Amino acid sequence: MTSTVEKQSDIDLVDPGSPRASSSKRWWVLATLCIAQLMVVLDATVVNIALPYAQQDLGFGTADRQWVVTGYTLAFGSLLLLGGRLSDMFGRRAVFMIGLVGFALASAVGGAASSGEQLIGARVAQGVFGALLAPAALSLLTVTFAGRPERTKAFGVYGAIAGAGAAIGLLLGGALTEWASWRWALYINIVFAAIALVGAAVLLGRHTADRKVGLDLSGTVTATAGLFSVVYGFAHAQTDGWSNTVTLAFLAVGVVLLAAFVVLQTRVENPLLPLRVVLDRTRGSAYLAVFFLSVGLFAIFLFLTYYLEQILGYSPLHTGVAILPLVVALVVSATVGSSVFPRIGAKVSVAGGLLIGAVGLVSLTQIGPHTSYATHVLPGLVLIGFGLGAVMTVSFQAATAGIDRDDAGVASAMVNTSQQIGGSIGTALLSTFAASTASNYLAGRVSTATAAAQSQVESYITTFWWAAGFLAVGAVIVAVLMPHKIPAATDGEPLLSL
């Protein structure tokens, strides 16, 4: 067993989170991690924008088109906890770099695909390597800035990237599809991965676990299968409805498997997800905040995109530009607010951010077939962006603060799992509400182009109301559960407090 002195010496030499590591080096590490996070987050919306063009070029059907999105979601969502624990076991740097290389190779295969099957296979591979990459990146950020005054600002920048990535993907996807080819929506990942890989090789130090952590096989099987079943069930509900036998079967099996997983985690020696990680009030409420935020986010990036393109007639590129104010507001909130949030406390910052986002969504319910972007869309986007910035910045810190270094990977994976499950539920639920509202509006009316357009607008309004409700519920839960003060980071000083 390596002595404590020897281990600390090794950390000081190679770990950017060590006391002797220069501040400038830590910020370069942050830049590397942000590039990787941006690649993973924007990949979904970049591909969504390019998907109709890929379908036309490769000649695959609508049923296969869904699997281009669902294949990635299933692999990513079901393997996140395993990816987080692997980074704790084998080293965050190694898993991070493997994830980068694998994601880039999968993107290259997808970009060069000559059939729908190849594209779907590449998307599944992206999901697998993304599940390694995402938790490793956040855990690296956690240990790099542990116990440091710059931690709040670092998480503000990272949170801004995580929140704005989907909107940036709309803009980038529109530009690449319109000016180049749908294939570049995948090839662009190679550029991001190459930059991040160089940064990782130069900047990141070796990580050796303080204790040997075995892999919990029973937990891995039940968690992976359970998350797969839940995500697939919600994806299936989106296309086949909630009463469909397959939908109900997968959701039921997923719930049973996840319940079994929780029981197993109390009985095994080296649990995949130690329950102390999620039962802590600070971390647990942060995961819930990210979950409810993700449910509402999909109303913005999915249904607002439909509204701008199908009702107002915007091009993909124009749509991306139109959503940019949300990105600007989010970045301002996350970066400038990093010096404000510690003064008002974690509870107020997160609950207040969720409420501001809910108000922004409510303002979007005033849209119509001929309303102005400047008066009916822009104010809501700005409010939502400010709210997102507060929630993402503080929740990412709260979800990883005070965690043991050897649990940083799985704690980070829980953030991404909360996002993924929230997004899956949001997409399925809100899509169902939208379809039902549109059908009810058209019932008994003469079928005209005007009626069809109005039915779509009514469906979008319904989703915005529901999304606002989810954010409001999340705000109440956070206000009840989250402490005012986030505990000390791994190495020392308290962070957000009143």
Side-chain angles (χ1 to χ4, degrees), residues 47 51 58 60-75 106 109-111 113-127 182 186:
V47 171
L51 193 51
L58 300 180
F60 55 87
T62 302
D64 291 333
R65 182 180 67 185
Q66 177 201 351
W67 282 101
V68 175
V69 177
T70 305
Y72 176 86
T73 302
L74 288 173
V109 172
S114 58
S115 67
E117 289 77 11
Q118 288 182 11
L119 180 58
I120 292 169
R123 291 286 289 162
V124 171
Q126 280 185 314
W182 68 266
L186 290 157

Side-chain angles (χ1 to χ4, degrees), residues 32 35-36 39 96-97 99-105 107 133 187-202:
T32 298
I35 290 170
M39 178 184 70
F96 179 74
M97 295 178 72
L100 283 172
V101 173
F103 203 94
L105 290 175
S107 299
L133 180 58
Y187 287 146
I188 191 65
N189 291 327
I190 302 172
V191 178
F192 285 116
I195 296 171
L197 188 63
V198 172
V202 173

Side-chain angles (χ1 to χ4, degrees), residues 303 428-440 455-456 458-460 462-463 466:
F303 298 104
L429 280 177
L430 297 176
S431 294
T432 302
F433 296 151
S436 176
T437 300
S439 297
N440 291 339
S455 71
Q456 293 304 307
E458 294 296 329
S459 73
Y460 306 149
T462 297
T463 63
W466 275 100

Side-chain angles (χ1 to χ4, degrees), residues 69-378:
V69 177
T70 305
Y72 176 86
T73 302
L74 288 173
F76 185 68
S78 60
L79 294 173
L80 276 166
L81 287 179
L82 176 60
R85 183 49 88 193
L86 289 176
S87 72
D88 292 329
M89 292 175 59
F90 300 110
R92 290 175 278 270
R93 178 180 186 267
V95 172
F96 179 74
M97 295 178 72
I98 290 171
L100 283 172
V101 173
F103 203 94
L105 290 175
S107 299
V109 172
S114 58
S115 67
E117 289 77 11
Q118 288 182 11
L119 180 58
I120 292 169
R123 291 286 289 162
V124 171
Q126 280 185 314
V128 171
F129 288 105
L132 294 176
L133 180 58
L138 183 54
S139 61
L140 280 165
L141 179 67
T142 299
V143 300
T144 298
F145 287 89
R148 302 187 180 282
E150 317 102 306
R151 179 180 167 93
T152 303
K153 185 177 292 186
F155 272 87
V157 174
Y158 192 84
I161 293 296
I168 296 172
L170 291 174
L171 177 61
L172 187 60
L176 291 172
T177 302
E178 197 165 312
W179 294 340
S181 163
W182 68 266
R183 297 181 184 277
W184 274 99
L186 290 157
Y187 287 146
I188 191 65
N189 291 327
I190 302 172
V191 178
F192 285 116
I195 296 171
L197 188 63
V198 172
V202 173
L203 298 169
L204 297 180
R206 299 183 304 275
H207 159 232
T208 303
D210 292 335
R211 64 180 187 275
K212 291 293 182 182
V213 180
L215 182 61
D216 170 19
L217 292 177
S218 61
T220 298
V221 171
T222 52
T224 301
L227 289 171
F228 178 93
S229 297
V230 168
V231 173
Y232 183 84
F234 282 115
H236 199 269
Q238 185 182 351
T239 56
D240 293 82
W242 294 98
S243 60
N244 180 269
T245 303
V246 175
T247 298
L248 295 175
F250 271 94
L251 290 176
V253 169
V255 170
V256 170
L257 287 172
L258 290 178
F261 168 71
V262 172
V263 173
L264 286 170
Q265 297 310 281
T266 65
R267 300 181 178 180
V268 297
E269 182 179 357
N270 295 303
L272 178 69
L273 175 63
L275 294 186
R276 63 180 177 271
V277 172
V278 294
L279 294 180
D280 177 85
R281 280 182 61 193
T282 303
R283 286 192 289 274
S285 53
Y287 296 143
L288 288 172
V290 172
F291 169 82
F292 281 103
L293 181 68
S294 299
V295 172
L297 267 180
F298 275 78
I300 305 164
F301 296 126
L302 182 61
F303 298 104
L304 185 58
T305 299
Y306 288 162
Y307 172 71
L308 293 174
E309 291 187 355
Q310 297 179 359
I311 304 301
L312 298 188
Y314 287 13
S315 69
L317 179 58
H318 192 180
T319 298
V321 173
I323 296 179
L324 268 184
L326 182 149
V327 178
V328 174
L330 193 155
V331 171
V332 170
S333 174
T335 53
V336 176
S338 63
S339 61
V340 177
F341 300 146
R343 302 173 191 170
I344 63 177
K347 181 196 293 278
V348 176
S349 297
V350 177
L354 288 168
L355 285 177
I356 292 172
V359 171
L361 281 163
V362 169
S363 74
L364 290 178
T365 63
Q366 304 306 305
I367 61 172
H370 306 292
T371 48
S372 166
Y373 167 84
T375 57
H376 290 77
V377 177
L378 180 59

